[in-house]
Every structure is written in C-alpha cells, then in structure tokens.
Amino acid sequence: MKEILTKNLNPSQIEAVHCTEGPLIIFAGAGTGKTKVITYRIAHLLSLGIAPWSILAVTFTNKAASEMKKRVTNLISQTHRNLWISTFHSFCAYFLRIEASKISLDPNFLIYDFMDQKNTIKDCIKELNIDEKKFKVSTIVNKISRAKDDLKFPSDVVSEAEQLDNPFEFTISKIYELYQKKLKKTGALDFGDLIMQTVATLQQLPAMLERYQEKFKYIMIDEYQDTNRAQYILIKLLARKHHNVCVVGDDDQSVYSWRGADINNILNFKKDYPNAKSVKLEQNYRSTPKILSTAYQVVKHNNTRIDKQLWTENLDNGSVIVIKAVNENDEATKIANLISLNAYKHKLSNFAVFYRTNSQSRTFEDTFRRAGIPYALIGALRFYERTEIKDIIAYLKLINNPNDNVSFKRIINIPRRGIGKTSIESLEKFALLKNISLWEAIHLTSQADLTKGAQKALNSFMQFIETFLELKKKDISAKIISEKIVTHSGYLKELEAENTPESKTKIENIQELISAINDFQNRSQNKSLAGYLTQIALTSDTDSLDESKDKVTLMTLHLAKGLEFEYVFICGLEEGLFPIWESVSNNEELEEERRLMYVGMTRAKKNLYLCWSTERTIYGKTRWNIPSRFITEAGFKYDFTGSKQNPNFKNTNKKHFRAEVICEDTYNNDFEIKTGPFLSTIKTANPYKVGATVLHPTFGRGKIIEQSGTRENLKLIVLFENGQQKKLIAKIANLRFI
C-alpha cells in the first residue's frame, strides 16, 4: 500500500499526503495535482486503519466530488460507501434530512433553485405593496443570499437596517422576513438555508455537535479560498475537537467574492490554527514554462497573496501570443481562423474561448455558426432551465410536497385547464387570508370568491394530483410518475398537436428528462422522488460539461476554473471590459480581476492567446479601446502608433521568454481569411475608419475617435495614450499628425 501511495508523487505532494495529524494548509497552485494529493491523502488515511466514516472530504461541485470518489476507489481497489466525499450543499442537505425530526423540519423539504427564489420574492414584493422598479428581484435574491452566507437571519438584518437608519436596507429586511415565512410554510429551503440551518443546528444543540465532531475525526476541504463565512464556521465547528483539518486551495485563484467567498479564510488559516503546518505545491503538470512565466508576471502585481511561483519540467516552451483586432467581429473571425487552421491536428474540444461577460458570446456564436465550427456554450441556458423541463419538474416538486406554492402556480394552468389569472389571484387572496397553502385552499374552493367553472377546474386538478400522491405513497418510481404526468396531464398531447420544430424539440427534451431520471435510479442508492429532486437542485453549470463531445468550448472566465485546454483564447482584454470599469478604483476588486486573469491564463496547456480590439460594440454602444493593463503586466509593451513596421506590442520580459505577436492592422482594408477544414472563406468589409494618430503638446499621443461640425467649428474627441478622452476644437488644439 505504501508503494502505491508514494509512487508518481513529488516530494511536496508526499509531504502533504503523509501529514495526517493536526491542522494542515496546502497551497496548491494551478495544475499542481491538487485532486491527486487529496485522493492520495484519503487513501493514505484508510491505509493507516482510519475508519472511512470518520473522514469527511468536502468540495464545491458534484463533478469534483465524483472524480475524488472514483480516484480513491481506484487507489484502494474497493468502494467505501461510508466515506463522506461531497459538496458543501449535498453534505448539509443530507445532514438536515437525517436530523430533521430533532429540529422541527420536514425531511422531505424542497430545495429552491434561483428561479424558485425569484418567484417567491416576486410574491413577497406584491404582498408588501413594494415598487418593483425600485427593488429589482435579482438584487433582492442576491442580498438575501449574501446575508445567509454571513449567517444573518432576518432579525439580524432588520436590526442592522434600523441601526443604519437605511430605508432601502430596511425594506430588504422586511422582504427577507416574509420570504423566510413563505419558505417555512411551503416546507422549503434555498441553497443558503442548507448551510446556515446546519450551522445554527450544530450551534444550538451541543450534544449533536459533539457527536459529529467525534464522528468526523479527519476533515479535508477543497478550494478553501472559495469558502464563505457560513462554510468557514461550519468547518471550524466540526474540526474544533480533533483539529485534524486539512484545507487545500490557492489564494491566487480566489475569484468568487461576488457570491460570498472570503479570501481571508485561506490567508488567515494560521491565525485560526497557529500550529498549522504549511505545504506549497508549485510544480505544475499542465502548462508550458512560457505560459507559467507570463501568468506569474501578471499575478505578482497583487499585494494580497502568499508568495509562490509555479515551475515545470515540461520541455515544450509553448507560446503566448497577443492578437490585436479591429473590432469584436474581427476578433471572432481571427480566432475562428486559428482554430480551423489547427483543427487537423487537435480535437475541437482542445480549444476554449474565455470572456469576461456573457454578452461577449454572441459574436463568437454567430461567427462559429457561419464558419461551421461546432461549439458548446457553457453557463447559458442549461437543460434544467428549459421551460418544458421546469414544467415537468414543477409537477414532480408539487407531488413531493403539495404545499409548494411556487410549483403550484407554475403548472396550475399548464397545459391549459381554464383556470385564468383572475381565478388564481382570487385563490391566492383566500389562501393568504386563511394562512394556508394554495394546495390546502383548493380543498375549500366553495368558500373562495371563485366562479363555478373555476371551482370545477380546480377540483379536477386536485383529483389529478391526489392520484399521484397515492402513487408516491406506494413508492412508485420517479420515472414511472414522470411518464404518467407527461401523458395524463395532456402536456405531451398539446406539444404533439402543435407539431412544430420547436414542439418536437421540447418533446425530445422531455424524453431526455425521463432518461435522466431512469439513469439516476440506476446509479443512486436513494431512488426516491425527493432524492432525485435534491440531486438536480445541486447540479452546477460545469457539472454538465461533456468533455467527450468534439466542440469548441465558449464560457466566461468565472466558469473556467478547474478546467484545462490545449488552446486558450482570452478575449476582450481592454481597459473597462477586463478589468471591468467598476474594479479600477477599488484595489480589492482590481486584485480579484487580476486573479481571474491568472485563472484564465493557467487553463492553457500549450498555447495562450491574449486578444483585444481597438473598437468594440457592447451593450449597444461602440467605444474605442486601449489594451488591458494585464497585457502590459504580462510583459508586452504597447506602442500607440500601431504601424506594421513598429508592431503594437513588444515583449519587454526578455529574461523569461520571447513573445510572439499577431498585430495585423486591418483598418480601411478588406480582411480575408483563407479556410481551414471547418471554415469557409470569410471576407468582411471593414466599415470602421482609422482615427488619425496625433500628438498634443500637453496630453501626448492619441487617436481621433469622434468628430462633429465642419471647418471653423470642427470639434474632435481624442483618446489619449493614458486612457483619457478629451474634447478639442480642431483649429486651436495645436495637434500634430504622426
């Protein structure tokens, strides 16, 4: 066993694996074998005779947890069903279901996803007579989620709002109060509740906390830099007795503060555990020396970080290339051309295009479709977010918990049953008056202000659902229940009658859903309807990434963490887009933007392209750009003249590598791309005229980006090298053309 557990490990990895007692922090740089170390360490603990049920390993995605389980099983040649390897949310959901009876919680509680949250918040806003224009639903959902990340209950938020005498925050707190009441009445928890309720339960029940502390003698946390306060406190509680807590992460890859992650959790680990041992994993097994060196040149500009520098024994030096484009269409075309030229020797799945905002994907989608390049768009409309899928899932949720008002309202008239908006509003008012759920209310329709027709339709719907409640009591499988819903509800019949390409696609998606339910039942110990609903509620964007399909990957940089590709294109590297404008005046936010850049760069195995456009139309506005500071920090010096004789970028970091640069000046020209295997010839007439390069005696060099008026009244807007825009009157500006 010892030979198995030490072969193929470098000295730092072996040190981390064999350090089993006491607190340990492993700073695992990008591509340094983090998952390998975690799984080998678990296997090593088992080889020492540690009981599998006393080991708890927690990560952030189902995909990562599944990979860990698989690797541990392969190492020890057996499956330990009592080994706890899961996500934070899965662990807490399981804990709450087990302990539900002790904390007055229905063990069949629903887990509300983002859309369920939004719909419930909408009800709260309506009920409280709040102006929807002033209080956006998505903002409120985010505020409540962050409060739960910080372990703040409604009473805490109300108290803070009163102390601050802030009317906006006070209104948010009242919405939060009502929102929680609605969740409780429905028997539902959202993602934030899963962890917050677990922490509250352990804090309030010392005997239970001691039992779990004794149970989990060895705790490992993956991606520790991404933990929020609630997750941090949960781990501190569980590890308080034995202190055998190992956290693994990389502060240089902390990019989720906007969803509650606190980088200080990893930076201050030694303050929490003064006797903690520290191990740095710096040998990279993914990228080339050139890519690692370039990425380090960027991230070293951050002040808030633990010093570390990745290195590799990789003999392939690879390439780092800057691509300058005229505009976003030119950017996408150049990238499409490069992909097609290299597709003969690489699978398309080896190519990835990263961008800062989702809105940037449209240009790539359009260009790739025209060029015939297959692509997978990650993080857009997921399978479980499609209308027809959410409809069937809503039926399943209602059958699992009839008091789920959100699901009730979604499918009460889908397919059409003659239950209109007015009838539903009347039923809602009646339920609110009686303080009961909508499901309970339809049993009392004769008392509500409803027409005879509406009463008849609601009674028919009630009988339909009660049929399925009986099936659930008999432990009929989720697959059979879903098949019967699709047929007996009339949902499938309505789609078949529509007989359009769109309806046929919806039918195929529903069939795929039933297949997914069947697959869940075949591979899961918990085959119940509640088990399936929990599983899909905890599925993340990257869990759905199918790496076996040969397509170019398009995704935001935030979704790229944990992935790797032969060719990586980081696009939109312009000041104001990446780094985004809001971060420029805030050092903490700017450092996170820089970490996000570092994450994107270190996804590349052999070839990294840094792309920027001199002009870009985004959010309906066209603007001229200067390249991102991250390009300069990477070692490329920007020359504002932009002539072909004097390329726009020069590598000034001779010590580390010689840069390769693509700087075609395609202004005022037609740009023709010759085809590769997937790309037909694309010829795009460039409609954008080059602004003349000028020199001002005070402001220096710049480009004319806008003009108005004529002759004596000719006015100019000039974008100068320092990023400033100035409005000038041409005849007195004393500009010199260069």
Side-chain angles (χ1 to χ4, degrees), residues 10-17 19 24-29 37 247-249 270 276-282 308:
N10 65 43
S12 296
Q13 291 173 332
I14 292 173
E15 183 183 8
V17 166
C19 181
L24 170 67
I25 182 167
I26 303 172
F27 289 102
V37 168
V247 302
V248 187
K270 284 205 167 187
K277 184 176 179 59
S278 175
V279 177
K280 291 181 183 180
L281 304 182
E282 296 174 293
K308 67 192 88 68

Side-chain angles (χ1 to χ4, degrees), residues 289-554:
K290 185 178 290 187
I291 291 170
L292 295 179
S293 177
T294 314
Y296 178 70
Q297 294 307 308
V298 174
V299 79
K300 75 176 184 180
H301 284 80
N302 276 356
N303 295 316
T304 310
R305 65 183 296 267
I306 302 295
D307 186 46
K308 67 192 88 68
Q309 184 171 0
L310 302 184
W311 60 276
T312 180
E313 294 179 346
N314 190 345
L315 297 178
D316 181 356
N317 204 30
S319 63
V320 179
I321 298 174
V322 171
I323 298 179
K324 172 193 169 187
V326 176
N327 53 41
E328 69 275 11
N329 294 310
D330 186 32
E331 177 185 61
T333 301
K334 281 183 166 72
I335 291 172
N337 183 49
L338 283 167
I339 290 172
S340 67
L341 289 174
N342 289 281
Y344 73 94
K345 58 182 178 181
H346 290 287
K347 289 184 177 180
L348 290 176
S349 56
N350 286 328
F351 297 85
V353 178
F354 300 153
Y355 34 81
R356 180 62 180 81
T357 65
N358 272 309
S359 61
Q360 290 169 256
S361 72
R362 182 199 58 78
T363 309
F364 291 105
E365 290 187 77
D366 291 346
T367 302
F368 285 11
R369 275 197 298 267
R370 289 195 301 269
I373 298 176
Y375 66 88
L377 182 64
I378 310 302
L381 187 62
R382 295 184 291 159
F383 179 78
Y384 286 101
E385 292 174 345
R386 298 179 187 277
T387 299
E388 63 275 15
I389 301 304
K390 288 195 75 72
D391 287 343
I392 304 304
I393 294 297
Y395 272 106
L396 295 176
K397 284 183 175 180
L398 190 64
I399 291 163
N400 186 59
N401 184 342
N403 293 320
D404 178 7
N405 284 350
V406 173
S407 296
F408 183 101
K409 287 198 291 183
R410 183 179 183 94
I411 49 88
I412 184 61
N413 201 40
I414 295 177
R416 290 181 290 273
R417 298 184 176 89
I419 304 171
K421 183 179 178 181
T422 302
S423 298
I424 295 171
E425 288 178 349
S426 297
L427 187 68
E428 277 192 277
K429 289 178 183 177
F430 176 72
L432 191 62
L433 181 66
K434 294 288 186 180
N435 195 28
I436 57 178
S437 68
L438 293 173
W439 172 253
E440 292 169 322
I442 63 172
H443 289 75
L444 305 170
T445 52
S446 59
Q447 300 178 30
D449 183 19
L450 295 164
T451 64
K452 293 292 184 182
Q455 289 182 39
K456 184 178 179 181
L458 287 167
N459 285 330
S460 176
F461 176 75
M462 177 184 69
Q463 292 168 12
F464 174 75
I465 296 298
E466 284 180 340
T467 301
F468 287 94
L469 294 177
E470 290 300 316
L471 291 177
K472 180 172 173 276
K473 287 180 183 177
K474 295 176 182 177
D475 288 329
I476 302 298
S477 73
K479 176 178 179 287
I480 292 175
I481 289 176
S482 61
E483 287 175 332
K484 289 183 178 294
I485 285 172
V486 172
T487 53
H488 296 352
S489 67
Y491 199 100
L492 184 61
K493 186 178 180 180
E494 191 172 89
L495 288 175
E496 288 173 339
E498 190 177 324
N499 194 30
T500 63
E502 291 78 11
S503 67
K504 290 176 181 176
T505 299
K506 288 182 179 182
I507 291 171
E508 290 171 355
N509 288 336
I510 291 171
Q511 291 168 339
E512 181 61 27
L513 172 65
I514 294 171
S515 296
I517 295 172
N518 186 55
D519 179 61
F520 163 79
Q521 292 180 168
N522 289 336
R523 60 184 168 77
S524 177
Q525 288 180 296
N526 181 1
K527 304 180 186 300
S528 68
L529 181 58
Y532 175 70
L533 292 173
T534 297
Q535 184 249 334
I536 62 170
L538 298 175
T539 300
S540 70
D541 288 330
T542 52
D543 287 332
S544 62
L545 178 58
D546 186 353
E547 295 171 348
S548 66
K549 293 184 178 179
D550 195 26
K551 297 180 178 180
V552 177
T553 299
L554 304 180

Side-chain angles (χ1 to χ4, degrees), residues 92-105 107 201-202 205 208 211-212:
C92 292
Y94 188 73
F95 167 86
L96 291 172
R97 293 198 194 281
I98 290 176
E99 306 296 348
S101 61
K102 300 181 184 67
I103 54 176
S104 302
L105 183 67
T201 299
L202 292 173
L205 301 174
M208 183 184 292
R211 178 158 53 87
Y212 277 92

Side-chain angles (χ1 to χ4, degrees), residues 60-82:
F60 277 82
T61 67
N62 292 314
K63 185 177 180 180
S66 178
E67 178 65 20
M68 284 183 193
K69 290 177 185 176
K70 182 180 176 181
R71 290 199 193 186
V72 171
T73 299
N74 290 339
L75 278 174
I76 62 178
S77 301
Q78 66 180 109
T79 301
H80 281 292
R81 295 190 180 277
N82 294 323

